[in-house]
Amino acid sequence: MSKVYDLVVIGAGPGGISAAVEAQIAGVDNNKILILEKSDAHNETVRKFYKHGKRVDIDWNGIKAEFHGHLSFEQGSKEEYVKQFDDIIEKYNLKVVYNHHVYAVKKSGDIFEIEADKELGVIQAKKVVIGIGVMGKPNKPSYKFPPKIRPVLNFNLDKVQNGEKVMVVGGGDTAGEYAYGLVDMDLGCDVTLNYRKSEITRMNPTNKEIVERYIAEGKITSKLGNDIVDVEVSEDGRVKVNFQDGTSEVYDRVVYALGGTTPTEFLQNCGIEMKDKWTATHNPETFETNVEGMYVVGDVVEGAQSIAVAINHGYAAALDLAKKL
């Protein structure tokens, strides 16, 4: 493909879509804007990790946000949120290529060469915005999983069976939803929630209220403030969890909900310097990285971000790159 795009956006999440829309509004020819998405639909994180009917909030994790640009969304259910972005893509006639995985981005002179799969091959662009999420792979604990019990050490609820004694590990919204979700599914499971801190501080108010109420009502057993040292095979072949306070408990299954990881390796392969695990080197006003002409928005800026913040990142990046084209 010989065409050189003015802008290629990697990731069809809120930050990436915002960057494409705002670049178009700022004067970039829409025929020279392309969005590449590895999954089969936009906003993969919301589609995959939000349960049916769950509300998508503008404010997240105690952080209030106001929209700076032309793009916004109204709070509503998961389905309503997705529909809003369907309408945005249609309104601005955005070209999004789905099921298209990007392996690397390399700069040759003033042009970026984007190595992707399928029929497009190497794509060339003057500017690149990276807006991929942090939830591609789950965080794993530092201790090793004994091979014999590895099948019952999971990162979602897909394999939970009726009547099992299950411990959910984590202090965020996913952990809370897994814990009370298991209760609500009425599988007859004995549910424990473990978090290394003694208080729940990372959940949104709704999830926190449900979890604390279920703990008070005895529906969820609290194992807060007690970190896990390791896990081993119990005498009867189940999971023996050893806690920091010297106690142990046996479970049928342990489900880890420890969050996602920033795709650091991909960013570094693109030439982006990382300040730490969560933070790509970037201009805090324009979101341009140390690689001139390459921008980061959303989760890859400095870890998990709210949808509204990601949209604002896209706006700021688009204004800057449009000026420089």
Side-chain angles (χ1 to χ4, degrees), residues 6-7 9 13-30 33 35 66-73 85 88-89 91-94 129 286-287 297 307-325:
D6 282 346
L7 171 62
V9 178
I17 292 173
S18 171
V21 168
E22 296 291 359
Q24 183 185 147
I25 293 173
V28 180
D29 185 348
N30 190 42
I33 299 174
I35 302 176
E66 295 181 2
F67 297 104
H68 298 160
H70 300 86
L71 208 62
S72 64
F73 72 95
F85 273 85
I88 288 167
I89 290 171
K91 176 181 178 180
Y92 291 96
N93 193 28
L94 300 181
V129 171
T286 67
F287 299 94
V297 299
I307 293 168
V309 168
I311 288 173
N312 288 339
H313 290 174
Y315 172 62
L319 285 185
D320 189 67
L321 67 87
K323 290 177 185 175
K324 295 176 179 177
L325 281 170

Side-chain angles (χ1 to χ4, degrees), residues 87-313:
D87 293 343
I88 288 167
I89 290 171
E90 181 179 358
K91 176 181 178 180
Y92 291 96
N93 193 28
L94 300 181
K95 182 178 181 181
V96 187
V97 179
Y98 296 106
N99 297 306
H100 206 86
H101 185 76
V102 175
Y103 298 106
V105 180
K106 298 177 181 178
K107 195 171 186 182
S108 178
D110 293 330
I111 300 296
F112 291 98
E113 294 185 344
I114 300 151
E115 298 179 11
D117 55 13
K118 301 179 77 171
E119 73 279 358
L120 295 185
V122 176
I123 301 164
Q124 294 184 320
K126 296 177 182 177
K127 305 292 180 186
V128 172
V129 171
I130 299 175
I132 53 181
V134 302
M135 303 182 81
K137 293 182 180 179
N139 279 335
K140 296 182 179 181
S142 57
Y143 48 84
K144 294 182 179 179
F145 288 177
K148 187 175 180 179
I149 55 174
R150 197 169 290 162
V152 292
L153 301 174
N154 308 144
F155 295 93
N156 56 50
L157 303 181
D158 292 350
K159 297 179 181 178
V160 175
Q161 304 295 312
N162 289 359
E164 286 187 328
K165 184 178 180 181
V166 181
M167 183 171 72
V168 177
V169 182
D173 286 314
T174 301
E177 289 167 7
Y178 280 178
Y180 72 70
L182 275 177
V183 175
D184 292 344
M185 287 161 67
D186 202 23
L187 298 177
C189 292
D190 181 339
V191 182
T192 295
L193 177 63
N194 167 256
Y195 183 44
R196 58 187 176 81
K197 295 184 179 180
S198 58
E199 293 183 17
I200 296 172
T201 58
R202 293 175 50 223
M203 293 182 194
N204 68 47
T206 300
N207 286 337
K208 182 179 179 181
E209 187 276 327
I210 295 173
V211 168
E212 290 180 341
R213 173 160 50 87
Y214 277 29
I215 289 174
E217 294 172 354
K219 296 178 179 178
I220 295 174
T221 300
S222 171
K223 205 74 174 175
L224 303 180
N226 200 354
D227 207 0
I228 299 172
V229 176
D230 59 20
V231 295
E232 58 183 310
V233 183
S234 68
E235 292 181 359
D236 59 359
R238 296 190 293 161
V239 184
K240 182 180 180 182
V241 180
N242 299 315
F243 296 99
Q244 202 167 40
D245 65 358
T247 63
S248 300
E249 188 71 35
V250 176
Y251 298 90
D252 296 306
R253 190 177 304 275
V254 177
V255 177
Y256 294 92
L258 303 175
T261 57
T262 300
T264 304
E265 185 177 350
F266 173 76
L267 295 174
Q268 290 175 331
N269 286 341
C270 294
I272 297 174
E273 297 174 357
M274 301 296 293
K275 292 182 180 178
D276 53 46
K277 177 182 177 182
W278 298 105
T279 309
T281 299
H282 66 281
N283 182 311
E285 295 182 357
T286 67
F287 299 94
E288 187 174 23
T289 68
N290 58 287
V291 180
E292 187 178 354
M294 184 181 290
Y295 299 75
V296 287
V297 299
D299 292 348
V300 290
V301 172
E302 40 188 44
Q305 303 282 336
S306 76
I307 293 168
V309 168
I311 288 173
N312 288 339
H313 290 174

